[in-house]
C-alpha cells in the first residue's frame, strides 16, 4: 500500500481513507479489461458518490455513468456528465424529476421491467412531449428485478414502449448473485449466464422488429470473470473502484487492491477479555456483515496498521454506535494493551465499500506522496 | 398513529418520516418517569442528531445532553446547550477539540476508564491551564467499556484525576446488555444491577475521600424498567425518543409508539416469487439486522400502509443498495401485485432507529395536522 501514510496521523478519527494508488490501479485494470473485451464501460457511481473518483474513471476511458438515485444524476450532471443510466425501475412519481433533468440537457436513460410501468412512462411522455429513452431490465439470475429473457413480457414491454413513442434504447441486466460465488469456475459461468441471457433478450427484441442498440451487463465479479462478451455493448460495475473484504472473499481482488479503509484510534481496553476499544463502531463501518456468509467472517472488518499492512488475526469483532471491539480471532490476546496501546492509529478494511463509504460526508484521499485531500461525498436522496 | 398522513404522498421516496405525535408522547413519558423517580434526565442525542428533536426533549424537562461524537457537541453547543457529556472514552488526540469547546464556554464533560488515559487528560490540562471535568466510566454488565465497581483501577483513576487537578465529576455506566433481554423481570433485574453497580462505585470513591457528585446510569430498556433509582442522580437514554422494532421486541414499547419510519414506493414485482420491489433498500433502512436475534425477525423492517397501520405478515425480507424486497412471511403471496400495486406508498418500521436515521440528511416531521416540516440531521464526524 501507500508509504506516505504519516500524514494520516493528523486526522481526527474515525475517517474514511481512500488510498489513491490502488484506486487508480483498480480503475486502469477494469478499463483495460473492458477495452480488451471490446466493450464500453459505464461505472456505477453508487460506490463512491464522489466527483473526484468518477473523474478518474472518466479520464481512464469510461463512457457515461450508472446511478442508483436521481440525486446522483443531479450531482454528476452538474459535474458535466450527460450520459447517465438510472438503473432502478422508475415509477410515475419520479418521472417529473427525470423530465426536469432531460429538459436541462441530461441524456438520462431509465429502466423498466413491466408493461404497466412502461405504459406510465409513455403516457407521461405523451403528456409532456418527451420521448424518454428506456432500457428493459432483464433478469438473468433470479436475484432481484427484471424480465426473464424468454418471458412473453419482454415483447409486451417493448411493444408498449415502441408504440407509445418512447425510445427503446436496449436491454440491461445485473447478475448480483455473483457476490455469493467464490470460485473462478462459478464466476466465469455466472458471467456467461449474464451475457448469454442479456444477449438472448436483445435477439428476441430484434427478431420481433424492435431496435435494441445497447446490451448492458455487469457486476464487479462478472466483469472481472467474463471470458467473452460477444453481443454485449457495455459493462457496468461499481465496487471494483475500491474493492472490499467481500470482493476479496469472492476472489476477484487481493488485499493490496483494497483502496478504502477506516482510520481509527484505540480509546480503551478490556484486558481480561482481550479487547481493545476503538472509535470506529458501526456508525463508521456500517452494519454491513457481508463476510458473515463467506468462508472467512471478519465481523465488522479486518485490522491493519497505519501503513495499511494487515495485522493477521485481528478483527473488529463487535460494534456499538461509536465503539468498535478489536480482538484476536480464536483465543483472546492477553497482551492486547501492549500490542495496541492507547492512542494507536489503525486502519480497518470494511466488508462492503459502498456501505462504509456512505457513513461519511467526505473521504480523505491519500496520494502517492502522502498528501491528503478531502473529497466530499453525496448523502441521501 | 397520525391521521393527517395524506401530505406524505407529495414526498420523493425514500424519506425518513418522524411521526411527531408519538415522538412527543415518548418524550413526555420518559421525562415523567424520571421526574417520578427523582432523577435528572440527560437524553442521548446520538439517536436523532437533530436540533428540533433535542429542543422538544429540553422543553419537556431534560437537563443537559449526552453526545457520542465531538461533532454533536459542536452542533448542540451552537444551539445554545452548554451542559454536554461526551460519553466515549477520550484519547489525547481529541483533547484539543474538547479544549476548544470548553474555552468557548461549553461545559463539556469527558469520560475515562483507565489511569493511562486519565494521566493524558491531566497532563494536557496542566499544559493548557484547564481543569477538565472527568467522569469515570463504570462497567456494570461486561458489555463494553468501563471499570468494574470493585476493581482497584477505580481508585487509581480517581487518584490520577484528583491529584492531577482535573475535576472528578462523578461516575457513569451504560447497561447495553439490556438490549438482549425481553422479559420485564430480566429488565428490572438489569436496571437494578446497573443502578447498584454505579452507586457502589460512587460509594467507594466517596469512602476514599474523593468527590463524586454525579451518578449517571442509563439505557432505554433499563430507564423504563427501573423500580428505584436510589443513589442515582441522573439517567441517560437515546432511542426511546423514536423507539424501533428492537425496542418493541425487548418489550419496552408498543407499535403505536414507533415514531420513525421510512416512506417508500413500490417500483416493481416478481409475482412468481411473491415479491414486491420497493425503493427502500439497505441504503435507506441501514444494514442493521437487530431483530435477527429476537424471537420475531423482521429482516429489514415491518411493512405499514401510508397511514402507519401495520400490514400484518409483510416484511422487507431482503435489501440491496436501493432495492428492497417486500414479501409475506411464510408462504409467498401470489397476489402480491394486487395487494401492493406499482406506485403504492408504504412506511417501513426500522429495526434500529439510530442506524436508519443516520442514512438520511434530514427527517420529514409529520405534525398532528398533517403538516410536514423538514428537520436536518447531523452526518459524520
Amino acid at each position: 500500500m501507500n508509504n506516505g501514510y504519516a500524514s494520516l496521523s493528523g486526522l481526527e478519527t474515525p475517517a474514511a481513507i481512500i488510498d489513491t494508488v490502488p484506486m487508480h490501479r483498480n480503475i486502469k485494470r477494469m478499463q483495460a479489461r473492458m477495452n480488451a473485451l471490446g466493450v464500453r464501460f459505464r461505472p456505477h457511481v453508487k460506490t463512491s458518490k464522489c466527483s473526484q473518483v468518477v473523474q478518474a474513471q472518466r479520464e481512464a476511458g469510461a463512457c457515461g455513468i450508472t446511478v442508483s438515485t436521481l440525486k446522483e444524476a443531479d450531482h454528476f450532471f452538474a459535474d458535466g456528465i450527460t450520459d447517465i443510466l438510472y438503473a432502478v425501475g422508475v415509477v410515475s412519481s419520479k418521472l417529473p424529476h427525470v423530465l426536469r433533468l432531460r429538459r436541462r440537457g441530461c441524456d438520462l436513460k431509465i429502466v423498466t421491467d413491466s408493461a404497466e410501468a412502461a405504459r406510465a412512462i409513455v403516457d407521461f411522455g405523451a403528456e409532456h412531449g418527451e420521448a424518454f429513452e428506456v432500457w428493459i431490465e432483464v433478469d438473468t439470475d433470479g436475484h432481484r428485478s427484471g424480465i426473464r429473457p424468454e418471458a412473453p413480457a419482454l415483447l409486451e414491454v417493448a411493444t408498449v414502449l415502441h408504440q407509445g413513442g418512447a425510445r427503446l434504447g436496449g436491454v440491461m441486466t445485473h447478475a448480483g448473485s455473483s457476490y455469493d460465488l467464490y470460485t473462478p469456475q462459478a464466476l466465469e459461468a455466472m458471467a456467461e449466464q449474464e451475457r448469454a441471457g442479456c444477449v438472448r433478450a436483445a435477439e428476441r427484441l430484434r427478431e420481433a422488429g424492435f431496435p435494441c442498440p445497447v446490451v448492458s451487463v455487469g457486476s464487479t465479479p462478472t466483469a472481472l470473470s467474463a471470458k467473452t462478451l460477444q453481443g454485449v455493448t457495455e459493462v457496468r460495475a461499481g465496487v471494483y473502484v475500491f474493492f472490499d473484504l467481500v470482493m476479496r472473499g469472492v476472489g476477484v481482488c487481493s488485499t493490496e487492491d483494497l483502496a478504502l479503509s477506516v482510520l481509527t484510534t484505540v480509546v480503551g481496553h478490556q484486558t481480561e477479555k482481550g479487547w481493545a476499544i476503538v472509535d470506529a463502531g458501526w456508525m463508521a463501518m456500517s452494519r454491513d456483515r457481508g463476510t458473515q456468509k463467506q468462508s472467512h467472517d471478519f465481523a465488522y472488518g479486518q485490522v491493519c496498521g497505519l501503513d495499511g499492512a494487515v495485522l493477521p488475526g485481528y478483527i473488529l469483532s463487535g460494534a456499538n454506535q461509536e465503539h468498535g471491539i478489536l480482538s484476536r480471532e480464536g483465543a483472546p490476546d492477553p497482551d492486547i494493551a501492549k500490542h495496541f496501546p492507547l492512542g494507536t492509529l489503525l486502519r480497518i478494511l470494511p466488508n462492503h465499500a459502498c456501505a462504509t463509504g456512505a457513513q461519511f460526508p467526505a473521504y480523505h484521499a491519500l496520494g502517492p506522496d502522502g498528501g491528503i485531500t478531502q473529497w466530499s461525498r453525496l448523502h441521501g436522496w
Side-chain angles (χ1 to χ4, degrees), chain A:
Chain A
M1 289 202 174
N2 201 301
N3 289 319
Y5 50 79
S7 53
L8 294 176
S9 59
L11 300 175
E12 271 201 49
T13 57
I17 310 300
I18 296 177
D19 208 331
T20 59
V21 173
M23 182 193 88
H24 285 293
R25 201 169 56 225
N26 297 339
I27 290 171
K28 287 200 181 85
R29 171 190 175 200
M30 179 65 87
Q31 188 66 52
R33 195 165 204 284
M34 295 301 108
N35 294 346
L37 285 163
V39 294
R40 290 191 300 275
F41 182 58
R42 181 188 295 278
H44 205 317
V45 303
K46 77 185 180 72
T47 301
S48 75
K49 300 202 184 191
C50 172
S51 294
Q52 289 87 344
V53 174
V54 174
Q55 180 60 22
Q57 292 169 309
R58 295 176 73 202
E59 284 168 6
C63 296
I65 61 169
T66 313
V67 299
S68 69
T69 65
L70 291 173
K71 183 167 183 172
E72 291 162 50
D74 289 337
H75 176 87
F76 290 102
F77 177 60
D79 278 355
I81 302 176
T82 53
D83 179 2
I84 301 179
L85 170 69
Y86 172 45
V88 179
V90 75
V91 283
S92 294
S93 54
K94 289 182 181 167
L95 288 172
H97 193 155
V98 172
L99 182 64
R100 282 200 301 279
L101 274 161
R102 289 184 61 90
R103 287 273 161 87
R104 289 166 51 210
C106 181
D107 182 20
L108 183 64
K109 293 105 169 134
I110 52 181
V111 307
T112 188
D113 68 354
S114 78
E116 187 185 348
R119 203 162 291 116
I121 293 167
V122 298
D123 287 352
F124 185 87
E127 195 184 330
H128 295 88
E130 181 72 25
F132 289 105
E133 176 169 346
V134 188
W135 297 9
I136 300 178
E137 185 168 9
V138 178
D139 177 13
T140 52
D141 67 344
H143 95 289
R144 190 168 70 197
S145 302
I147 302 171
R148 285 285 187 177
E150 302 293 349
L154 184 72
L155 299 183
E156 290 167 25
V157 173
T159 303
V160 171
L161 292 172
H162 199 60
Q163 292 183 352
R167 185 173 158 218
L168 183 46
V171 288
M172 58 85 75
T173 193
H174 165 60
S177 302
S178 62
Y179 279 54
D180 299 326
L181 307 175
Y182 56 93
T183 68
Q185 295 72 22
L187 287 164
E188 191 185 323
M190 181 57 75
E192 176 54 19
Q193 179 179 323
E194 183 185 51
R195 182 204 70 80
C198 204
V199 168
R200 174 66 190 133
E203 284 166 355
R204 283 190 64 213
L205 290 174
R206 290 171 189 146
E207 283 161 11
F210 295 108
C212 186
V214 171
V215 180
S216 175
V217 304
S219 74
T220 286
T222 52
L224 293 170
S225 305
K227 290 287 182 221
T228 167
L229 287 172
Q230 209 180 344
V232 167
T233 66
E234 67 162 46
V235 168
R236 309 177 323 279
V239 76
Y240 80 96
V241 72
F242 295 151
F243 285 122
D244 52 29
L245 295 180
V246 166
M247 284 298 109
R248 195 184 62 184
V250 168
V252 292
C253 66
S254 314
T255 301
E256 61 265 27
D257 301 324
L258 305 189
L260 182 70
S261 59
V262 174
L263 184 72
T264 187
T265 306
V266 174
V267 301
H269 301 95
Q270 291 288 5
T271 308
E272 284 171 35
K273 294 174 180 162
W275 291 356
I277 310 289
V278 298
D279 66 357
W282 59 252
M283 186 62 83
M285 301 308 303
S286 91
R287 271 291 194 196
D288 198 289
R289 291 281 291 100
T291 55
Q292 191 167 26
K293 58 184 177 181
Q294 295 189 326
S295 61
H296 194 149
D297 181 359
F298 291 91
Y300 287 94
Q302 186 171 26
V303 179
C304 301
L306 186 60
D307 62 356
V310 164
L311 302 174
Y314 292 98
I315 62 170
L316 217 59
S317 55
N320 296 146
Q321 187 159 337
E322 297 289 344
H323 295 80
I325 296 175
L326 185 163
S327 64
R328 192 165 67 184
E329 295 171 291
D333 177 1
D335 296 322
I336 194 84
K338 204 165 75 185
H339 292 142
F340 298 95
L342 216 58
T344 302
L345 286 168
L346 300 166
R347 287 162 74 181
I348 314 292
L349 300 173
N351 285 314
H352 188 177
C354 308
T356 301
Q359 303 299 102
F360 293 85
Y363 304 102
H364 288 89
L366 180 65
D369 55 354
I372 295 174
T373 320
Q374 197 161 317
W375 291 353
S376 75
R377 191 190 186 288
L378 276 188
H379 183 224
W381 292 267

